[in-house]
Amino acid sequence: MTTEADVIAILARQSGVCADRIGPATEVAALGLDSLGLVETVFALEERFGVSIPFNANTDPGDRDFDLRTVAGIVAGLEALKARPAAA
Amino acid sequence: MRRVVITGAGTVNPLGQTVSETLDALAVGRVAIGPLDLADARLSTRIGAAVRGFDPSDRLSARQMAVADRFSQFALIAAAEAVAAAGPGALPPGAGVILGSAGGGLASSEAAYRAVFAEGAARVHPFTLPRLMANAATSLVSMAHGLRGPSFTLSTACAASNHAIGLAFQMVRSGAAPAMLAGGSEAMLTFGGLKVWEGLRVLSDTGCRPFSADRDGLVMGEGAGVFVLEERDRALARGAPILAEVAGFGMSADAGDIVAPDPEGAAAAIRAALADAGLAPGAVGYINAHGTGTLLNDRSESAAIRAVFGEDAAAIPVSSTKGLHGHLIGAAGAVELLAVILALGQGVIAPSGAGHVRDPDCGLDIVAGRARQASVRAALSNAFAFGGLNAVLALRAA
């Protein structure tokens, strides 16, 4: 599976929105995840890709080091993290 | 109806290991948040509010040291200070103790799990169970002071201390007990304790700035606060020092989300505390907020205060001293009650933290940076727990 397909699968599982209705431009806020759902999504992404995502639930989505606003943003962020030396 | 007053206080917390040290630190707005000694590559949390240089070995017996987890040691030291301050005869037969704690003996649990699961040990220390049980602090305090009345531990996360003090207040007011010790203790700055908060993504790497537009989360602390509550007439008759009157107590449950707070639930608890105390909203001169420094709490709590006080909300000084001593979880309300006593007794409102950037989403009169002088005759202390369990104390000047 591609990174994008994995991300979409995780978002679909967390949100209950059908995967074929989620694409690169889909906004995460539109999927109806609550704050706990977003935290669990980040955890699922970290576990799937073996990375640590910089994410603090207290900062606004636009201010974050890791762009969680869209599927494409998440994919780009993950690719950048995977290109770095492995972190804990 | 009987009136209930506070005649003794004791504490161990990041700002100080006595009440006087703590009041001095609150009055100058000293920040006790700093780098944590706990080094582990798997912890991303680097800051906290630890009780530094805590060595109770000269104040606790060898037996107490052996059976008491750090959270119980905090409670024993704080209780001893409170009982001494209240003077002889403060706790007659029938008096009991109610303490709050969210985690109990976490360090003891972790040490035992590490031994048997990670290190393959065949046995754990025989005192592991009495050290880790959540009621250990209550039991050890009852033993230390011969308290044979109603005594138990309650665990409502970040509201545990306020629930404990509020229930003790109700018991003295109703005549169920002539006096009570009440408060809370917590020692969650352990690897596991930090890890579970890290998992929720609500910890700050930079400091705790309640209600400030640049806040980015909470900072964990540890410690204990314990108070002597007794009937006012009795306290007056024996010439006891009166720190403040506990005037009312309000509780509610959000019945909503397991972590996200609901302003309606918080507002219901505030209204209940005011009604129980017979206080008009306009009489409140200070609100010690729950103010964790998280986006969700501070916005929800601000909305609750505005809902209860309406246009007058912006005229009431509000601070959350978590910006100074961190979030003491199950001990939070107890240590924060000292800031209320400082405001009622000395007319000094402790600040929320060092810096503050006004957040238009909150819209409150936040005391920050430095303490403010004000004549405060009545005050509220808020505590809102994960799980939506709310507990608000209303106090009057002595």
Side-chain angles (χ1 to χ4, degrees):
Chain A
M1 276 176 105
T2 64
T3 299
E4 182 180 294
D6 280 356
V7 169
I8 288 172
I10 286 169
L11 284 169
R13 192 164 62 243
Q14 289 291 334
S15 66
V17 174
C18 188
D20 56 19
R21 293 179 54 200
I22 303 175
T26 299
E27 296 201 3
V28 174
L31 296 175
L33 291 169
D34 62 9
S35 63
L36 212 51
L38 189 59
V39 168
E40 201 179 11
T41 299
V42 172
F43 173 71
L45 292 167
E46 289 181 325
E47 289 287 283
R48 169 64 188 84
F49 294 100
V51 296
S52 287
I53 296 174
F55 168 71
N56 179 331
N58 297 295
T59 51
D60 283 321
D63 299 339
R64 287 172 179 150
D65 297 332
F66 187 98
D67 186 356
L68 280 160
R69 287 172 296 182
T70 63
V71 171
I74 293 172
V75 171
L78 287 170
E79 297 294 354
L81 283 175
K82 285 195 289 183
R84 282 188 217 164
Chain B
M1 190 146 27
R2 295 175 187 84
R3 292 170 68 179
V4 182
V5 293
I6 299 172
T7 55
T11 189
V12 174
N13 71 80
L15 292 173
Q17 296 189 29
T18 63
V19 169
S20 66
E21 278 177 30
T22 304
L23 296 180
D24 289 350
L26 287 167
V28 297
R30 186 166 73 76
V31 176
I33 292 167
L36 284 171
D37 291 335
L38 193 63
D40 189 301
R42 289 173 298 155
L43 273 180
S44 61
T45 311
R46 294 278 179 260
I47 61 170
V51 176
R52 298 196 163 273
F54 179 66
D55 178 12
S57 59
D58 58 339
R59 288 165 287 172
L60 300 182
S61 69
R63 181 67 175 180
Q64 286 174 318
M65 290 293 288
V67 298
D69 181 271
R70 186 172 173 91
F71 96 106
S72 293
Q73 294 179 7
F74 288 158
L76 281 165
I77 299 292
E81 185 188 8
V83 172
L91 296 165
V97 51
I98 306 176
L99 296 179
S101 181
L106 278 169
S108 300
S109 302
E110 289 183 24
Y113 283 138
R114 194 175 298 116
V116 295
F117 293 142
E119 295 163 2
R123 62 184 71 84
V124 298
H125 191 281
F127 297 166
T128 301
L129 182 67
R131 281 177 188 154
L132 69 80
M133 60 192 195
N135 60 307
T138 297
S139 297
L140 290 166
V141 167
S142 82
M143 291 156 58
H145 300 284
L147 303 176
R148 293 187 166 83
S151 298
F152 53 92
T153 291
L154 57 80
S155 190
T156 50
C158 315
S161 280
N162 270 18
H163 274 121
I165 295 164
L167 279 185
F169 156 69
Q170 291 180 337
M171 292 175 70
V172 174
R173 183 170 66 175
S174 72
M180 292 291 289
L181 274 183
S185 65
E186 202 73 77
M188 208 181 271
L189 290 179
T190 62
F191 180 80
L194 287 161
K195 205 71 206 164
V196 293
W197 282 95
E198 242 178 57
L200 265 179
R201 308 282 186 156
V202 293
L203 295 183
S204 168
D205 294 327
T206 59
C208 178
R209 295 176 296 279
F211 302 103
S212 183
D214 66 350
R215 67 193 178 278
D216 62 2
L218 65 86
V219 174
M220 285 178 60
E222 61 174 358
V226 178
F227 300 87
V228 175
L229 275 63
E230 62 178 302
E231 191 193 341
R232 183 169 177 271
D233 288 345
R234 212 181 144 271
L236 291 171
R238 66 181 191 88
I242 295 179
L243 302 177
E245 176 175 0
V246 186
F249 179 48
M251 296 183 271
S252 72
D254 291 351
D257 190 88
I258 194 67
V259 292
D262 178 359
E264 281 302 310
I270 294 171
R271 286 193 186 98
L274 289 171
D276 191 40
L279 272 176
V284 174
Y286 169 56
I287 298 173
N288 182 282
H290 188 55
T292 57
T294 63
L295 203 62
L296 283 176
N297 175 82
D298 291 2
R299 280 185 182 163
S300 170
E301 184 169 16
S302 300
I305 291 171
R306 290 197 310 268
V308 173
F309 294 94
E311 288 182 2
D312 297 335
I316 303 171
V318 175
S319 73
S320 163
T321 50
K322 287 185 176 74
L324 308 179
H325 51 62
H327 193 342
L328 272 61
I329 319 293
V335 170
E336 288 158 29
L337 190 53
L338 293 172
V340 175
I341 287 171
L342 179 71
L344 293 170
Q346 299 181 31
V348 175
I349 295 176
S352 289
H356 184 76
V357 180
R358 189 180 150 72
D359 180 358
D361 285 338
C362 292
L364 300 173
D365 176 14
I366 303 296
V367 179
R370 53 170 28 187
R372 185 187 299 177
Q373 306 287 325
S375 174
V376 179
R377 301 302 301 162
L380 297 179
S381 184
N382 290 345
F384 308 128
F386 269 175
L389 309 182
N390 310 304
V392 177
L393 293 166
L395 295 107
R396 277 199 191 90

